Amino acid sequence: MTPIAQALSAALLHFVWQGLLVAFLLWIALAVLKNRSANSRYLASCAALAALALLPAITTWILYRQPGPMRGAATFAATVWPAAAALPRPAGAPLAWLTVLQTWALPLWVAGVFVFSLRLAWGCRQVSALRRAGEAASQETLAIAAALRAKLGLFRPVSIVI
C-alpha cells in the first residue's frame, strides 16, 4: 500500500471517532441553543458539517506528513487506538484484524462512494422523467400552490405536475 493510500485508510478509520465526537458536540450545542433562534441552530449544524468535511482531509495530511513510513499494524494501532498497544496478544500476530481493516477501509469507501453516486444519478434521472411525463395541474391545485407560495415568501415560480 502506498503511503498516501495508507494515510487515507487511517484517516477514514480515524473519522469514525472524529465523526462521533463532532456529533456529540453538536448534540450538546443544539441542547444549549434549544431556546435560541433557528438561525443559530442552523449555523451550529453548518459548522459541524464543515468540520466533518475538513477532518478527513486534515487527518490525511497529518498522517501523510509523518516522518518515515508507517510501520505496519503496531504503529497504525497506536494512532487509531492508543490503548491497543497494551492489549494482550499472541506473539507474531500484532493486531491482525486492524491491519485487515486498514487494508479494506479505502477500497470499501471508494466502492460506497461509487454506489451512492450511481444511486444519486439514477434518482436525478427518475425525477427528470417524472417532470417530462407529468400533466399540468388543475386550476384549483395551482391556486392552492400560489397561496402557499405567497405565505412562504417564495418569489420564484413553482411548477406543479400531476
Side-chain angles (χ1 to χ4, degrees):
M1 186 179 292
T2 65
I4 189 68
Q6 193 167 11
L8 278 170
S9 292
L12 288 173
L13 294 176
H14 277 291
F15 188 64
V16 173
W17 70 265
Q18 291 170 344
L20 287 173
L21 179 65
V22 169
F24 180 71
L25 292 174
L26 177 63
W27 179 65
I28 291 172
L30 291 177
V32 168
L33 298 172
K34 180 174 58 173
N35 296 328
R36 289 289 194 63
S37 69
N39 195 28
S40 62
R41 293 189 305 271
Y42 177 74
L43 288 175
S45 299
C46 286
L49 282 175
L52 289 175
L54 290 175
L55 280 172
I58 292 169
T59 306
T60 301
W61 181 71
I62 290 170
L63 292 174
Y64 186 67
R65 293 199 39 180
Q66 284 181 346
M70 296 182 87
R71 291 173 280 286
T75 304
F76 178 73
T79 62
V80 173
W81 186 32
L87 290 176
R89 60 184 178 274
L95 296 171
W97 63 271
L98 198 53
T99 304
V100 170
L101 186 62
Q102 180 188 8
T103 303
W104 284 99
L106 189 60
L108 288 176
W109 178 76
V110 169
V113 168
F114 180 71
V115 166
F116 283 110
S117 296
L118 286 177
R119 182 175 173 247
L120 178 65
W122 181 78
C124 288
R125 185 173 169 257
Q126 291 297 104
V127 167
S128 178
L130 286 173
R131 288 176 71 193
R132 282 191 309 270
E135 301 172 5
S138 66
Q139 289 299 343
E140 298 86 26
T141 306
L142 291 174
I144 292 170
L148 284 173
R149 193 177 86 188
K151 228 181 210 183
L152 292 173
L154 299 176
F155 300 107
R156 285 181 26 181
V158 177
S159 63
I160 298 177
V161 293
I162 305 293

